[in-house]
Amino acid sequence: MSLADDTTQDPALVVHVNGSGGAVKSWVVIDTLVDGLAMGGVRMTPTVTREEVAGLARDMTHKFTLAGLRIGGAKGGIVSGGGNREETFRTFGRTVKPLLHGGIHLGIDMGVTPADRAVFFDEAGYDPRYRLGAPDMPIDWRTYYEPLIDVTGHGVGVAAVTALEASGRTGPARVVVQGFGAVGRAVARFLEDRGHVVVGVADAQGTISADRLPVAGLVAVTDEFGLIDRSRLPQQVTLSEGPDAWLDVDADLLVLAAQKHALNAGNAHRLRAALVVEGANLASDAEAREKARAAGATLVPGVIANIGGAGAAALAVTRVVPFDLPAEARKAWVFDWIGDRVRDNTRALLEIAAARVGDPLPELLSVRRGELR
């Protein structure tokens, strides 16, 4: 068993994927192995780097450590704009076949769809239902995982509500959601259902704001890529196309559910919300987090809030899920399990933050790491 103790430790293994029977520029970074297992998603963008993949893999280690799951962190990255998808993922699948069959489970991340995953699983002859030394999964991966599409947003919502309650807030919070993909939409619905008011939503085209945004109405005019159709918006909304305009909306809570380092050293001074919850991987950089804390803001990092999808997959890979439950009961069990872990870790983080100066995450990681040994 190996657990990363800090951000300076080198990954356990970095695999440069150049392609078997075809060309592809890619990496798989295995940050840690626990009981011979590691897992994480595959990201495909034109600009992804080995360093980015390594950072994401380290985050996966931290997520699983905090959640108490006995599996290590890994991540894949493919440098591509998305052309020739079939060829790309078949080449990727042939090349990573030994990893998949050797205990390294690779899933989906930015730029990679469930259909892409099915292609590289098929090319590798990999079926997560079966692994030497482990009980078989009685259902296929798609049947298990597709009903859990909103579990990440559920966890982010639980983190937000827990932090709001810890702050002593009793009334509705004004919420801005940066990013309106699957996670952002799920978080917005979760928070609105609990009486909070969404006043700003940002997608790749800009920021939409109002005293109260109709979440269901926005979801109805949003495409699969998280882009909102401006031609179908209510008349009373304000549209802002400026970069990071979501930071200028008056809000109590900011949910970061989109790109890497959305909150960064260059824009952190514009932060107005007293609470920031990360619903995306690497949603802020270290300097931004330091500035936010120094200014009195509370930040719940993605390794706590954004555990849902990764945690749900890890629960299946490690065979923790009670597969004998009926489908709806199994889904509820996974949502409750994720919610409980997020709630416990958010409360623990805030307790540490109240008792010490600086970043509370390393201390919480140390506690959870000790519990896993």
Side-chain angles (χ1 to χ4, degrees):
M1 172 175 171
S2 173
L3 291 174
D5 292 331
D6 57 48
T7 56
T8 63
Q9 180 173 313
D10 290 334
L13 179 65
V14 178
V15 179
H16 294 256
V17 181
N18 299 315
S20 173
V24 64
K25 183 178 181 181
S26 178
W27 306 270
V28 174
V29 177
I30 303 164
D31 185 66
T32 53
L33 285 166
V34 177
D35 300 339
L37 299 174
M39 66 166 290
V42 179
R43 171 169 296 196
M44 184 171 74
T45 72
T47 58
V48 69
T49 65
R50 170 182 163 174
E51 291 72 25
E52 181 180 349
V53 176
L56 291 164
R58 177 57 48 85
D59 264 15
M60 294 299 291
T61 290
H62 288 169
K63 285 182 182 183
F64 297 142
T65 300
L66 289 163
L69 286 163
R70 296 191 62 81
I71 192 166
K75 207 76 177 183
I78 302 173
V79 182
S80 174
N84 299 315
R85 299 186 79 90
E86 179 85 10
E87 180 181 349
T88 295
F89 286 104
R90 292 213 172 275
T91 302
F92 183 77
R94 287 192 299 270
T95 313
V96 301
K97 178 177 179 178
L99 298 177
L100 292 171
H101 289 278
I104 311 303
H105 178 85
L106 299 173
I108 60 175
D109 194 70
M110 184 185 299
V112 178
T113 69
D116 298 326
R117 177 184 58 201
V119 170
F120 73 77
F121 276 14
D122 177 69
E123 194 67 19
Y126 172 67
D127 189 332
R129 289 179 295 176
Y130 312 118
R131 191 179 76 246
L132 292 175
D136 292 346
M137 284 178 59
I139 55 175
D140 65 82
W141 191 259
R142 182 176 178 179
T143 299
Y144 168 71
Y145 201 72
E146 282 194 355
L148 305 175
I149 184 65
D150 287 339
V151 71
T152 299
H154 175 80
V156 176
V158 169
V161 168
T162 302
L164 287 168
E165 291 172 349
S167 73
R169 171 173 288 278
T170 55
R174 291 167 57 87
V175 182
V176 170
V177 180
Q178 182 262 340
F180 213 55
V183 174
R185 295 193 296 271
V187 175
R189 288 191 296 259
F190 182 100
L191 293 172
E192 185 181 64
D193 287 347
R194 285 153 182 80
H196 301 291
V197 181
V198 177
V199 297
V201 166
D203 64 6
Q205 296 178 345
T207 300
I208 301 164
S209 60
D211 288 338
R212 179 186 291 270
L213 287 170
V215 173
L218 290 181
V219 170
V221 299
T222 302
D223 68 16
E224 61 180 314
F225 304 105
L227 292 177
I228 301 167
D229 185 347
R230 266 57 177 176
S231 70
R232 300 168 64 189
L233 289 172
Q235 293 184 350
Q236 69 270 23
V237 304
T238 299
L239 302 179
S240 304
E241 296 182 358
D244 307 336
W246 40 272
L247 279 164
D248 302 321
V249 180
D250 183 26
D252 307 297
L253 165 64
L254 170 63
V255 177
L256 299 174
Q259 77 270 23
K260 168 188 172 186
H261 294 170
L263 187 66
N264 54 64
N267 65 18
H269 66 281
R270 292 166 53 193
L271 179 64
R272 302 176 72 175
L275 172 62
V276 179
V277 177
E278 295 186 345
N281 295 316
L282 306 179
S284 62
D285 66 23
E287 189 172 347
R289 294 192 292 273
E290 184 178 356
K291 286 183 176 181
R293 284 193 299 270
T298 298
L299 187 142
V300 181
V303 292
I304 287 177
N306 179 31
I307 181 63
L315 285 167
V317 171
T318 56
R319 306 299 196 256
V320 174
V321 174
F323 287 108
D324 56 327
L325 291 176
E328 282 302 314
R330 184 173 62 243
K331 175 182 175 180
W333 186 94
V334 173
F335 271 69
D336 287 346
W337 193 98
I338 294 295
D340 288 346
R341 295 312 183 278
V342 170
R343 187 178 299 107
D344 290 348
N345 281 321
T346 300
R347 287 173 176 164
L349 184 88
L350 297 178
E351 289 172 3
I352 294 169
R356 56 167 287 179
V357 176
D359 185 0
L361 184 59
E363 184 173 333
L364 180 58
L365 277 166
S366 179
V367 171
R368 299 293 187 242
R369 200 175 290 121
E371 291 170 352
L372 269 176
R373 289 196 170 104

